[in-house]
Amino acid sequence: MKKKNNILIVFGILLFLASCVDDYQDANPPRLLDAPAVSSVSAADELILDGQSTQITIVVVDCPAGIDSVSYLIEDENGDPLGSVTIDNLDEMRGKTKGDILATYNSVAKTAAEVNLTFTVFDLQEREGEEIRKSSVPQSLDISIVCASDLAGTYNAVSGGTSTDGGAAVNPAVDVESVITLTATETPGEYIIDKSTGKVFDAWYLGVYYGDPTDVTGVLKDACGSITLDSYESPFGDGIIDSSGSIDANGVITFTAMNEYGDEWTVVMTPQ
């Protein structure tokens, strides 16, 4: 009889311990594994032509629960989405704890822009029947999109404009003729312009503020047919605050610029 009582006591203790273990597990569910860790995100080409694509490599160095998905955000300078992204090898990488996820960024034709891409990698875990996704720290990169451009050469120019300086010799200046040369730089779509004011500065100020003719060089930019005078070497140390222009079907370039003093001029350049 005593032996039977001992067995019952042991059985009761085991039931009590099992109940304690269940209560502990209920109160302390298993911890989730660490979130994915991404060491870098890079592009095969950070400068591409409009309409072209570039491959993105997302390096996952540790994902204990296994790679499940990737999210991305595309923003241009205005915060708008521009272009598209495809994740190329997600099926192959899903479930792996490390490796390179490959994606492709596809740009938009006839559009020049600076685009920021941000990627986040997610795993997939389960706790108490609930699916939980942990994410990596977002990683970003920038891609510059430019349009093909071939404007280098020599142009006959006619220019005119109005100065805010009451002491200008001729104001407004009209029908100022010159020969302008555009020289390509290493950056696609950017050119050195040797007479960025079309000699209008000479019409305004020659003999008033300086005695020798001056060619005001600058940087002219062609962004998919949209022309701007990005900068110029003014003899007065001022800069460009506004500029716009275009190219017509015959290759004639027309642009208008305004400097920090409020002086404005327009240059019409016809290819020789």
Side-chain angles (χ1 to χ4, degrees):
M1 186 67 176
K2 184 176 181 180
K3 183 177 181 181
K4 184 177 180 180
N5 289 337
N6 288 340
I7 292 173
L8 290 173
I9 292 171
V10 170
F11 182 70
I13 292 172
L14 291 174
L15 287 176
F16 174 77
L17 291 175
S19 175
C20 290
V21 169
D22 289 342
D23 291 342
Y24 179 82
Q25 290 178 340
D26 290 342
N28 300 274
R31 293 183 59 187
L32 293 172
L33 299 175
D34 289 341
V38 174
S39 64
S40 65
V41 174
S42 60
D45 299 289
E46 295 182 352
L47 176 65
I48 60 175
L49 292 176
D50 64 300
Q52 288 188 345
S53 302
T54 185
Q55 188 173 78
I56 309 296
T57 301
I58 306 162
V59 180
V60 182
V61 293
D62 190 26
C63 184
I67 296 167
D68 179 70
S69 58
V70 181
S71 72
Y72 57 85
L73 177 66
I74 309 172
E75 291 185 320
D76 65 8
E77 302 98 317
N78 300 316
D80 298 323
L82 182 67
S84 62
V85 168
T86 57
I87 308 299
D88 302 328
N89 66 337
L90 184 59
D91 288 342
E92 174 189 340
M93 294 302 298
R94 188 172 279 120
K96 292 187 177 181
T97 59
K98 62 181 179 179
D100 295 348
I101 299 174
L102 302 180
T104 299
Y105 172 71
N106 308 290
S107 65
V108 176
K110 303 298 182 182
T111 304
E114 295 290 329
V115 175
N116 179 265
L117 304 175
T118 301
F119 292 88
T120 305
V121 176
F122 293 84
D123 65 15
L124 178 59
Q125 305 188 46
E126 185 174 328
R127 184 171 63 182
E128 296 182 319
E130 178 186 4
E131 289 187 347
I132 299 173
R133 284 179 168 82
K134 278 194 168 185
S135 64
S136 66
V137 175
Q139 297 263 14
S140 298
L141 76 159
D142 295 318
I143 295 175
S144 299
I145 305 166
V146 297
C147 292
S149 179
D150 186 19
L151 302 183
T154 305
Y155 297 77
N156 294 323
V158 178
S159 310
T162 303
S163 171
T164 56
D165 190 334
V170 176
N171 194 20
V174 296
D175 297 331
V176 180
E177 297 183 358
S178 64
V179 175
I180 292 178
T181 299
L182 297 183
T183 304
T185 69
E186 293 183 356
T187 302
E190 289 191 5
Y191 303 86
I192 300 299
I193 178 171
D194 66 340
K195 301 177 185 68
S196 61
T197 72
K199 304 298 282 187
V200 166
F201 266 37
D202 278 0
W204 287 337
Y205 307 128
L206 185 61
V208 178
Y209 295 109
Y210 51 83
D212 296 317
T214 178
D215 292 338
V216 183
T217 62
V219 176
L220 194 78
K221 185 174 182 180
D222 171 22
C224 304
S226 177
I227 302 297
T228 54
L229 181 63
D230 272 15
S231 63
Y232 79 141
E233 297 294 330
S234 167
F236 308 112
D238 57 292
I240 300 295
I241 62 170
D242 189 31
S243 178
S244 63
S246 60
I247 311 170
D248 71 12
N250 297 315
V252 176
I253 301 171
T254 303
F255 72 88
T256 298
M258 176 187 290
N259 63 19
E260 292 175 342
Y261 295 117
D263 304 326
E264 295 183 80
W265 62 96
T266 298
V267 182
V268 180
M269 302 164 52
T270 303
Q272 286 189 344

